[in-house]
């Protein structure tokens, strides 16, 4: 199954599959067999290729910390839909469609003031409901879509009013 992992804040696309001897991790062109064996008290024996080491592993939600060879590494699973939505947000002046789809609801109108993270639009794509949120506080200058409308990927859905000089 393909995953996106942030390892120490650096993103890596990888695929992890089960094998008779454990797991196989594929990252780009590199691939290796690995296994993790629980030893108790948060300690694990990790085998990656021919290397075998003990590690301390702690997890909270999608965040995992691995203490290995005197260093602690932070790993976090990234939802590909969240990553796609973030890449399609647009710049400071617009919000874009992260994928082709159909607009379900428009929750803002021109002239309205919005806060960062506020839901602007809900759309459906491939039976998934996706929310488009405000990337920052601001005023809506123009709404360029309506419920029921089909939109392509990276279509401008909302434009923000220009910020006045000296404001952040």
């Amino acid at each position: 199954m393909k995953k996106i992992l942030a390892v120490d804040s650096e993103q890596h696309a990888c695929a992890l599959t089960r094998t008779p001897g454990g797991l196989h991790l594929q990252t780009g062109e590199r691939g290796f067999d690995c296994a993790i064996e629980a030893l108790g008290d948060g300690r694990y024996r990790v085998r990656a290729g021919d290397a075998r080491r003990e590690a301390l592993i702690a997890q909270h939600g999608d965040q995992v910390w691995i203490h290995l060879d005197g260093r602690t590494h932070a790993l976090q699973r990234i939802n590909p839909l969240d990553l796609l939505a973030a890449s399609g947000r647009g710049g400071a002046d617009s919000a874009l469609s992260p994928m082709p789809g159909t607009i379900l609801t428009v929750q803002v109108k021109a002239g309205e003031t919005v806060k960062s993270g506020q839901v602007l639009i809900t759309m459906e794509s491939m039976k998934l409901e996706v929310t488009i949120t405000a990337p920052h506080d601001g005023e809506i200058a123009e709404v360029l879509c309506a419920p029921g409308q089909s939109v392509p990927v990276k279509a401008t859905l909302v434009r923000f009013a220009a910020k006045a000089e000296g404001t952040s």
Side-chain angles (χ1 to χ4, degrees):
M1 172 182 281
K2 290 196 176 197
K3 305 265 185 204
I4 299 173
L5 292 177
V7 180
D8 297 332
S9 299
E10 186 177 319
Q11 292 181 11
H12 300 275
C14 59
L16 190 62
T17 54
R18 293 196 182 280
T19 66
L23 302 166
H24 182 78
L25 179 64
Q26 185 75 38
T27 57
E29 298 295 316
R30 287 186 54 202
F32 55 90
D33 292 325
C34 56
I36 299 174
E37 174 189 354
L39 301 174
D41 297 327
R43 294 180 313 113
Y44 292 81
R45 182 170 296 122
V46 179
R47 179 180 54 81
D50 293 329
R52 287 172 170 66
R53 295 190 173 93
E54 282 195 21
L56 292 172
I57 300 176
Q59 180 177 354
H60 180 71
D62 282 346
Q63 186 79 37
V64 177
W65 294 271
I66 300 175
H67 185 78
L68 181 68
D69 295 336
R71 293 185 56 207
T72 300
H73 304 279
L75 280 72
Q76 183 166 6
R77 285 179 237 131
I78 298 174
N79 181 332
L81 287 177
D82 291 343
L83 188 62
L84 183 60
S87 72
R89 278 200 181 120
D93 64 343
S94 62
L96 307 179
S97 169
M99 58 187 70
T102 303
I103 302 300
L104 297 176
T105 64
V106 177
Q107 299 180 14
V108 293
K109 60 183 185 270
E112 186 175 338
T113 300
V114 297
K115 296 281 187 195
S116 178
Q118 181 177 334
V119 175
L120 306 174
I121 293 168
T122 304
M123 64 181 289
E124 180 183 48
S125 180
M126 299 181 294
K127 304 224 185 258
L128 295 173
E129 199 169 283
V130 178
T131 57
I132 311 303
T133 59
H136 55 75
D137 294 354
E139 182 182 329
I140 303 296
E142 189 176 16
V143 176
L144 302 165
C145 61
Q149 180 180 351
S150 292
V151 295
V153 66
K154 299 210 183 233
T156 301
L157 303 175
V158 173
R159 286 194 206 283
F160 291 91
K163 291 184 179 181
E165 287 289 321
T167 61
S168 53

